[in-house]
Amino acid sequence: MSRKYKFHNKQGAYYISFATVYWLDVFTRQEYFNVLEESITYCRAEKGMEVYAYCFMPSHVHLIFRSANDDPSGLIRDFKGFTARKLIKTIEENPQESRKEWLLWMMERAGKNKSNVKHLQFWQQHNKPIELWSDKVIQQKIDYIHNNPVESGFVTNPVDWKYSSARNYQDDQTILKVDV
């Protein structure tokens, strides 16, 4: 892996983006979004995660965050591991999930290709963290995150995407709180 994509500054703020295996559109049901929301809330309260911007898309997550415990790599590793296990279980137990067998088969297929995965792989393994070193770069990444649902054609205004901190920047703290 390139030196460019590592958490070098343990106290730094980072932009990361990570996707489901094969870019599967998993986040199409409220209960799946709830897992992400609850996990972020837990990490903020118990693991020192500071969240400055976020957007949950159907197949991927964007975050600007910092680890108050100076362990951004461990924080994201734990977050992805926990959410993977919880989301797989939620999919398996969801009687309304019409794509259950296919989703699990795709995750099993992805897991077979990785020596460190025991059975099912939910997330792609890379995060590509980018340290944010200036106000200009921070604003550029926030704008990118907030405009992602617009560019994808889901909404015409960033604040209309329910799972985005664009709402927070308009004083709407109904989904997740951010550290501004």
Side-chain angles (χ1 to χ4, degrees), residues 69-104:
N69 298 335
D70 298 340
D71 187 17
S73 179
L75 177 60
I76 294 304
R77 178 199 62 229
D78 292 351
F79 174 81
K80 286 175 71 175
F82 174 80
T83 57
R85 289 185 298 279
K86 179 75 172 173
L87 286 160
I88 288 168
K89 183 177 183 206
T90 304
I91 291 167
E92 288 172 334
E93 295 175 355
N94 186 350
Q96 304 300 312
E97 182 53 77
S98 59
R99 305 171 304 148
K100 181 185 312 188
E101 288 79 18
W102 177 75
L103 287 169
L104 296 172

Coordinates of all heavy atoms in Angstrom, one line a residue, residues 69-104:
N69 N -8.5 9.8 20.8 CA -7.6 8.8 21.5 C -6.4 8.5 20.7 O -5.6 7.6 21.0 CB -8.4 7.5 21.7 CG -9.6 7.7 22.7 OD1 -9.6 8.6 23.4 ND2 -10.5 6.8 22.5
D70 N -6.1 9.3 19.6 CA -4.9 9.2 18.8 C -4.8 7.9 18.2 O -3.7 7.4 18.0 CB -3.7 9.6 19.6 CG -3.7 11.0 20.1 OD1 -4.5 11.8 19.6 OD2 -3.0 11.3 21.1
D71 N -5.9 7.2 17.8 CA -5.8 5.9 17.1 C -6.8 5.9 15.9 O -7.8 5.1 16.0 CB -6.1 4.8 18.1 CG -5.9 3.4 17.5 OD1 -5.2 3.3 16.4 OD2 -6.3 2.5 18.1
P72 N -6.7 6.7 14.9 CA -7.7 6.7 13.8 C -7.8 5.4 13.1 O -8.9 5.0 12.8 CB -7.2 7.9 12.9 CG -5.7 8.0 13.2 CD -5.6 7.7 14.7
S73 N -6.7 4.7 12.9 CA -6.7 3.4 12.2 C -7.4 2.4 13.0 O -8.3 1.7 12.5 CB -5.2 3.0 12.0 OG -5.2 1.7 11.3
G74 N -7.2 2.3 14.3 CA -7.9 1.3 15.2 C -9.4 1.7 15.3 O -10.2 0.8 15.3
L75 N -9.7 2.9 15.3 CA -11.1 3.4 15.4 C -11.9 2.9 14.2 O -12.9 2.3 14.3 CB -11.1 4.9 15.6 CG -12.5 5.5 15.6 CD1 -13.3 5.0 16.8 CD2 -12.4 7.0 15.7
I76 N -11.3 3.2 13.0 CA -12.0 2.8 11.8 C -12.0 1.3 11.6 O -13.0 0.7 11.2 CB -11.4 3.5 10.6 CG1 -11.6 5.0 10.7 CG2 -12.0 3.0 9.3 CD1 -13.1 5.4 10.8
R77 N -11.0 0.6 12.0 CA -10.9 -0.9 12.0 C -12.1 -1.4 12.8 O -12.8 -2.3 12.4 CB -9.6 -1.4 12.5 CG -9.5 -2.9 12.5 CD -8.4 -3.4 13.4 NE -8.6 -3.0 14.8 CZ -7.7 -2.4 15.6 NH1 -6.5 -2.1 15.1 NH2 -8.1 -2.0 16.8
D78 N -12.2 -0.9 14.0 CA -13.2 -1.4 15.0 C -14.6 -1.1 14.4 O -15.5 -1.9 14.5 CB -13.0 -0.9 16.4 CG -11.8 -1.4 17.0 OD1 -11.1 -2.3 16.5 OD2 -11.4 -0.8 18.1
F79 N -14.8 0.1 13.9 CA -16.1 0.6 13.4 C -16.5 -0.3 12.2 O -17.6 -0.8 12.2 CB -16.0 2.0 12.9 CG -17.2 2.5 12.2 CD1 -18.3 2.9 13.0 CD2 -17.3 2.5 10.9 CE1 -19.5 3.3 12.3 CE2 -18.5 3.0 10.2 CZ -19.6 3.3 11.0
K80 N -15.6 -0.6 11.3 CA -15.9 -1.4 10.1 C -16.2 -2.8 10.5 O -17.1 -3.5 10.0 CB -14.8 -1.3 9.1 CG -14.8 0.0 8.3 CD -13.7 0.2 7.4 CE -13.8 -0.7 6.2 NZ -12.7 -0.5 5.2
G81 N -15.4 -3.4 11.5 CA -15.6 -4.7 11.9 C -16.9 -4.9 12.6 O -17.6 -5.9 12.3
F82 N -17.2 -4.0 13.5 CA -18.5 -4.1 14.2 C -19.7 -4.0 13.3 O -20.6 -4.8 13.3 CB -18.6 -3.1 15.3 CG -20.0 -3.1 16.0 CD1 -20.3 -4.1 16.9 CD2 -20.9 -2.2 15.6 CE1 -21.5 -4.1 17.5 CE2 -22.2 -2.2 16.2 CZ -22.5 -3.2 17.1
T83 N -19.6 -2.9 12.4 CA -20.8 -2.7 11.5 C -20.9 -3.9 10.5 O -22.0 -4.2 10.2 CB -20.7 -1.4 10.8 OG1 -19.4 -1.3 10.1 CG2 -20.8 -0.2 11.7
A84 N -19.8 -4.4 10.1 CA -19.9 -5.6 9.2 C -20.6 -6.7 9.8 O -21.6 -7.3 9.2 CB -18.5 -6.0 8.7
R85 N -20.2 -7.1 11.0 CA -20.9 -8.2 11.7 C -22.4 -7.9 12.0 O -23.2 -8.8 11.8 CB -20.2 -8.5 13.0 CG -18.8 -9.2 12.8 CD -18.2 -9.6 14.2 NE -17.9 -8.5 15.1 CZ -16.8 -7.7 15.0 NH1 -15.9 -7.8 14.0 NH2 -16.7 -6.7 15.9
K86 N -22.6 -6.7 12.5 CA -24.0 -6.3 12.8 C -24.9 -6.2 11.5 O -26.0 -6.7 11.5 CB -24.0 -5.0 13.5 CG -25.4 -4.4 13.9 CD -25.9 -5.2 15.1 CE -27.2 -4.4 15.5 NZ -27.9 -5.1 16.5
L87 N -24.4 -5.7 10.4 CA -25.2 -5.6 9.2 C -25.4 -6.9 8.6 O -26.5 -7.2 8.1 CB -24.5 -4.6 8.2 CG -24.6 -3.2 8.6 CD1 -23.5 -2.3 7.9 CD2 -26.0 -2.6 8.3
I88 N -24.4 -7.8 8.6 CA -24.6 -9.2 8.1 C -25.7 -9.9 8.9 O -26.6 -10.5 8.3 CB -23.3 -10.0 8.1 CG1 -22.4 -9.4 7.0 CG2 -23.6 -11.5 7.8 CD1 -21.0 -9.9 7.0
K89 N -25.7 -9.8 10.2 CA -26.7 -10.4 11.0 C -28.1 -9.8 10.8 O -29.1 -10.5 10.7 CB -26.3 -10.2 12.5 CG -27.3 -10.9 13.5 CD -26.8 -10.7 14.9 CE -27.8 -11.5 15.8 NZ -27.9 -11.0 17.1
T90 N -28.1 -8.5 10.6 CA -29.4 -7.8 10.3 C -30.0 -8.2 9.0 O -31.2 -8.4 8.9 CB -29.2 -6.3 10.4 OG1 -28.6 -5.9 11.6 CG2 -30.5 -5.5 10.2
I91 N -29.1 -8.4 8.0 CA -29.6 -8.9 6.7 C -30.1 -10.3 6.8 O -31.2 -10.6 6.3 CB -28.4 -8.8 5.6 CG1 -28.1 -7.3 5.3 CG2 -28.8 -9.6 4.4 CD1 -26.8 -7.1 4.5
E92 N -29.3 -11.1 7.5 CA -29.7 -12.6 7.6 C -31.1 -12.7 8.4 O -31.8 -13.6 8.0 CB -28.6 -13.3 8.4 CG -27.4 -13.6 7.7 CD -26.3 -14.1 8.6 OE1 -26.3 -13.9 9.8 OE2 -25.4 -14.8 8.0
E93 N -31.3 -11.8 9.3 CA -32.5 -11.9 10.1 C -33.7 -11.1 9.6 O -34.8 -11.1 10.2 CB -32.2 -11.5 11.6 CG -31.3 -12.5 12.2 CD -30.8 -12.0 13.6 OE1 -31.2 -10.9 14.1 OE2 -30.1 -12.8 14.3
N94 N -33.5 -10.4 8.5 CA -34.6 -9.5 8.0 C -35.5 -10.3 7.0 O -35.1 -10.6 5.9 CB -33.9 -8.3 7.2 CG -35.0 -7.3 6.8 OD1 -36.2 -7.5 6.9 ND2 -34.5 -6.2 6.3
P95 N -36.7 -10.6 7.5 CA -37.7 -11.3 6.6 C -38.1 -10.5 5.4 O -38.6 -11.1 4.4 CB -38.9 -11.6 7.6 CG -38.8 -10.6 8.6 CD -37.3 -10.2 8.8
Q96 N -37.9 -9.2 5.5 CA -38.3 -8.3 4.3 C -37.3 -8.2 3.3 O -37.5 -7.6 2.2 CB -38.7 -6.9 4.9 CG -39.8 -6.9 5.9 CD -41.1 -7.5 5.4 OE1 -41.5 -7.1 4.3 NE2 -41.6 -8.4 6.1
E97 N -36.1 -8.7 3.5 CA -34.9 -8.5 2.6 C -35.1 -9.5 1.4 O -34.7 -10.7 1.5 CB -33.6 -8.7 3.3 CG -32.4 -8.5 2.4 CD -32.4 -7.2 1.7 OE1 -32.2 -6.1 2.3 OE2 -32.8 -7.2 0.4
S98 N -35.6 -9.1 0.3 CA -35.8 -9.9 -0.9 C -34.4 -10.3 -1.5 O -34.4 -11.3 -2.3 CB -36.7 -9.2 -1.9 OG -36.1 -8.0 -2.3
R99 N -33.4 -9.6 -1.3 CA -32.1 -9.8 -1.9 C -31.1 -10.6 -0.9 O -29.9 -10.7 -1.2 CB -31.4 -8.5 -2.3 CG -32.3 -7.7 -3.2 CD -31.6 -6.3 -3.4 NE -31.4 -5.6 -2.2 CZ -30.4 -4.8 -1.9 NH1 -29.6 -4.5 -2.9 NH2 -30.3 -4.2 -0.7
K100 N -31.7 -11.1 0.1 CA -30.8 -11.7 1.2 C -29.8 -12.8 0.6 O -28.6 -12.6 0.9 CB -31.7 -12.4 2.2 CG -31.0 -13.0 3.4 CD -31.9 -13.8 4.3 CE -33.1 -12.9 4.7 NZ -33.9 -13.6 5.8
E101 N -30.3 -13.8 -0.1 CA -29.4 -14.8 -0.5 C -28.4 -14.3 -1.5 O -27.2 -14.7 -1.4 CB -30.2 -15.9 -1.2 CG -31.1 -16.8 -0.3 CD -32.4 -16.1 0.2 OE1 -32.8 -15.1 -0.5 OE2 -32.9 -16.5 1.2
W102 N -28.8 -13.4 -2.3 CA -27.8 -12.8 -3.3 C -26.8 -12.0 -2.6 O -25.6 -12.1 -2.8 CB -28.5 -12.0 -4.3 CG -27.6 -11.3 -5.3 CD1 -26.9 -11.9 -6.3 CD2 -27.3 -9.9 -5.3 NE1 -26.2 -11.0 -7.0 CE2 -26.3 -9.7 -6.4 CE3 -27.6 -8.8 -4.5 CZ2 -25.8 -8.5 -6.7 CZ3 -27.1 -7.6 -4.8 CH2 -26.2 -7.4 -5.9
L103 N -27.2 -11.1 -1.7 CA -26.2 -10.3 -0.9 C -25.2 -11.1 -0.1 O -24.0 -10.9 -0.2 CB -27.0 -9.3 0.1 CG -27.7 -8.2 -0.5 CD1 -28.6 -7.5 0.5 CD2 -26.8 -7.2 -1.1
L104 N -25.7 -12.1 0.6 CA -24.9 -13.0 1.4 C -23.9 -13.8 0.4 O -22.8 -14.0 0.8 CB -25.7 -13.9 2.2 CG -26.5 -13.2 3.3 CD1 -27.4 -14.2 4.0 CD2 -25.6 -12.5 4.3

